[in-house]
Amino acid sequence: MLYRVSIFAFALTAIIAPASAATVPAITAFEQTFAKVNDYTVLVHAHEVLGDQTQDRVYRYMFKRPHMVKTQILSGPGTGGGGVWTGGDTVSGHQGGILSFIHLKVGLHDGRATSLRGYTIPDGILQNQVGKYTTMKGTLSERNGPVIGGQATTLVELKVADGAGEPGETRAVIYFSKATHLPVAQVRWAGDKIVSQEFWTDMQTNTGLKDSDF
């Protein structure tokens, strides 16, 4: 099931800063919280658009510091496939369906290891998702967001400087839970068209994952 959220406009005063030079309180709170996270598991409900193609998937995502990631496609194209990344420029994994018994090692940016828009496995790590908001050139702002999945949120918006983001992307919004300070949703646009949307659910932190789990 693909989660969706209506994007509301809020008339509250926003905290605004140049993204290349500063951050906002919601991101600072995330960084402080995530510094105490050794591992996590989460379901990622992802919708992507590229030209006239769309892709809807649900992933199970596992992360352990410093850079161990395991993903499994639970629904959508490639169901049953998955990959493991432990740093470097290769991914170990297998495709879904009748090819699931064949294990492969491919380049990080190989189409078999990326999503429709070319997002890689390490792109999905929470600190990498959030980090783009402070490293990408543009204008960053923060204000109250909608309730998502029963959680009050803070909305952080990045208006991307020309040519600074992923191809065609002009704006990105990420929603942080006010209770946990972790992200619960993200939407990215090219002009007025949504090109990617993620919802993070069933987040569990510090579960005691071991290296052998990857």
Side-chain angles (χ1 to χ4, degrees), residues 42-105:
V42 68
L43 296 183
V44 184
H45 308 257
H47 170 73
E48 296 182 19
V49 178
L50 183 65
D52 59 358
Q53 301 178 73
T54 62
Q55 182 183 81
D56 294 300
R57 280 177 168 173
V58 178
Y59 302 87
R60 177 181 288 119
Y61 200 94
M62 301 166 56
F63 167 82
K64 180 180 180 296
R65 289 187 186 276
H67 43 59
M68 301 185 75
V69 180
K70 183 176 183 178
T71 65
Q72 181 182 6
I73 303 171
L74 301 183
S75 68
T79 295
V84 174
W85 179 76
T86 56
D89 57 5
T90 60
V91 173
S92 299
H94 59 87
Q95 295 177 276
I98 62 174
L99 299 178
S100 61
F101 66 95
I102 302 176
H103 287 259
L104 305 167
K105 179 171 284 189

Side-chain angles (χ1 to χ4, degrees), residues 38-39 62-64 68 207-214:
N38 184 63
D39 65 72
M62 301 166 56
F63 167 82
K64 180 180 180 296
M68 301 185 75
T207 64
L209 291 176
K210 303 177 180 61
D211 289 359
S212 58
D213 292 321
F214 298 83

Side-chain angles (χ1 to χ4, degrees), residues 16-46:
I16 301 176
S20 59
T23 186
V24 290
I27 291 181
T28 299
F30 163 79
E31 292 170 341
Q32 292 171 344
T33 297
F34 199 76
K36 301 173 184 177
V37 173
N38 184 63
D39 65 72
Y40 70 83
T41 64
V42 68
L43 296 183
V44 184
H45 308 257

Side-chain angles (χ1 to χ4, degrees), residues 3-204:
Y3 284 66
R4 296 189 185 277
V5 63
S6 297
I7 307 302
F8 296 95
F10 290 85
L12 301 178
T13 301
I15 298 170
I16 301 176
S20 59
T23 186
V24 290
I27 291 181
T28 299
F30 163 79
E31 292 170 341
Q32 292 171 344
T33 297
F34 199 76
K36 301 173 184 177
V37 173
N38 184 63
D39 65 72
Y40 70 83
T41 64
V42 68
L43 296 183
V44 184
H45 308 257
H47 170 73
E48 296 182 19
V49 178
L50 183 65
D52 59 358
Q53 301 178 73
T54 62
Q55 182 183 81
D56 294 300
R57 280 177 168 173
V58 178
Y59 302 87
R60 177 181 288 119
Y61 200 94
M62 301 166 56
F63 167 82
K64 180 180 180 296
R65 289 187 186 276
H67 43 59
M68 301 185 75
V69 180
K70 183 176 183 178
T71 65
Q72 181 182 6
I73 303 171
L74 301 183
S75 68
T79 295
V84 174
W85 179 76
T86 56
D89 57 5
T90 60
V91 173
S92 299
H94 59 87
Q95 295 177 276
I98 62 174
L99 299 178
S100 61
F101 66 95
I102 302 176
H103 287 259
L104 305 167
K105 179 171 284 189
V106 299
L108 184 61
H109 297 277
D110 187 288
R112 291 167 290 182
T114 63
S115 69
L116 176 65
R117 289 188 60 81
Y119 302 138
T120 68
I121 290 178
D123 283 339
I125 301 173
L126 290 180
Q127 70 264 42
N128 291 343
Q129 294 275 6
V130 176
K132 291 182 179 180
Y133 285 78
T134 58
T135 58
M136 196 177 297
K137 292 182 179 180
T139 302
L140 197 64
S141 63
E142 172 185 309
R143 59 189 183 272
N144 286 332
V147 174
I148 300 176
Q151 299 189 68
T153 69
T154 300
L155 177 161
V156 173
E157 178 178 15
L158 173 64
K159 294 182 178 179
V160 181
D162 289 346
E166 301 290 341
E169 292 182 10
T170 57
R171 183 162 68 102
V173 170
I174 190 166
Y175 301 84
F176 293 91
S177 165
K178 288 181 179 288
T180 67
H181 306 299
L182 297 173
V184 296
Q186 178 174 233
V187 186
R188 285 174 276 200
W189 288 263
D192 59 359
K193 181 180 181 180
I194 291 175
V195 294
S196 73
Q197 192 170 25
E198 295 88 29
F199 291 85
W200 294 280
T201 67
D202 300 285
M203 175 80 70
Q204 303 291 326

